[in-house]
Amino acid sequence: MANRDNLLDRFCRYVKVDTQSDEKSESSPSTGKQKDLSRILVEDLKAAGLEDAVMDDYGYVMATLPSNIPSDHPAHGKVPTIGFLAHVDTYHEVSGANVKPQIIRNYDGRDIVLPGDQSIVLRVDEEAELAGCKGKTIITTDGTTLLGADDKAGVAEIVEAMWKLKEDPKRLHGKIRVAFTTDEEVGRGTEHFDVKKFGADYGYTIDGSQPGEIEDETFCADSAFVKVTGADVHPGYAKGKMVNALRVASDLIMTLPQHRAPETTEKREGYLHPLSIEGNVSEAKIHFLVRDFTVDGLEELESVLKHAASFVARKYRDARIDVDIKESYRNMKYAIDKDPKVVAYAEEAIVRAGLEPRKHFIRGGTDGARLSFMGLLTPNIFDGSMNFHSKKEWTCLEWMEKSVDTILSILDIWVEKSAK
Ligand SMILES: [Zn+2]
């Protein structure tokens, strides 16, 4: 019970620190306040026995727990270095200032009205997971901010796992590296991440949601930058001469298959998404996002776009449409499939924690996807929290404990497998 309260206290302490990142900022970290939590984490990791914990200029925290495997043990010197990662920042669109976590012990299984804004209600018939939490400890917001369990639950769970190892020195583990990163929510979480310096052989982000969840697939992503060149003439004398780039650009967007859009696709379907458009009569630019789970699918969507571009350009005398494709990230499954034990061991750890592994794919990217292609295979593990990015965000303390158990079991399993 004491341990459970440690985890709860730690989590509540972290969510009260405002660490919202800022999409418009160009500095690193995007907001200085993220470092407020990073500084606390350096001290907490040192207290847990990770003596080399440091924060760098970007607000990233890195720390090491050396292996405690004795030299006569069959796994000695053979266990890979395992990294655990979580991000300190919170979502940029919902306030993370003055978070007031509401702790509901022995939850009675009924709808939860949030005290700071009574119009916001966690309804049992809308939140399937609440049903499984009767009798457990739930943590919600007061309805005026997000909770920041994304990803402070993950942060607290990693620190808690390190504490448990300190308290149980007989539990053997290889070398562990911990990293807390900034600016994940604005897509810049790995911008300054030095995989070599981190020095882990395999990694796990603790940034997933439901208990048992493990994510090893993401989208493949490209950006398509389309430039439409028209011909501007005084509108009073434009007949037969003007080619309006704005008109051509909208024609192109409407020519594209409407069933390949984010708003009309789900599951494993890919899409072509006009994200922004700017311009005038003589020139217009459209930024498209191209997404699919396979590289083949991505290329097919890109050829649809290119064909539509040349078809539309031909309809307008003197119009030009150039399509420039830029690679963004790839499905981490391509990298993980080359060494799938990183996922298999995590699934086994989830079973040992008493849960059923639920493999998910993400209709988006993760820091783990980028790291996986930077050479550090990094699937994503649940942190036990729901409704990320929302004032309805909530978590369950017992599920957070399951995440801690999973982290510890992952370490056990790497030792066991290395001893063979
Ligand atoms: Zn997150």
Side-chain angles (χ1 to χ4, degrees), residues 87 150-151 184-185 207 388:
H87 63 91
D150 174 14
D151 186 22
E184 189 270 355
E185 297 291 358
D207 192 20
F388 288 179

Side-chain angles (χ1 to χ4, degrees), residues 223-225 253 272-277 285-289 291:
S223 271
F225 296 97
I253 290 172
L272 262 171
H273 173 41
L275 177 72
S276 67
I277 180 164
K285 287 177 178 170
I286 318 170
H287 178 191
F288 284 92
L289 300 184
R291 299 289 186 267

Side-chain angles (χ1 to χ4, degrees), residues 148 151 156 256 298:
D151 186 22
L256 291 169
L298 210 57

Side-chain angles (χ1 to χ4, degrees), residues 59-126:
Y60 293 173
V61 175
M62 286 193 188
T64 315
L65 189 65
S67 168
N68 65 351
I69 298 174
S71 56
D72 59 349
H73 188 279
H76 180 80
K78 292 199 284 186
V79 187
T81 300
I82 304 301
F84 292 100
L85 302 94
H87 63 91
V88 299
D89 65 315
T90 61
Y91 183 54
H92 46 92
E93 298 282 344
V94 182
S95 172
N98 298 314
V99 172
K100 296 183 198 73
Q102 305 291 307
I103 300 162
I104 304 165
R105 292 186 196 265
N106 197 10
Y107 167 57
D108 62 7
R110 287 193 232 159
D111 289 355
I112 301 171
V113 181
L114 301 181
D117 180 349
Q118 310 232 336
S119 70
I120 303 181
V121 181
L122 299 176
R123 294 184 197 284
V124 180
D125 55 5
E126 288 168 9

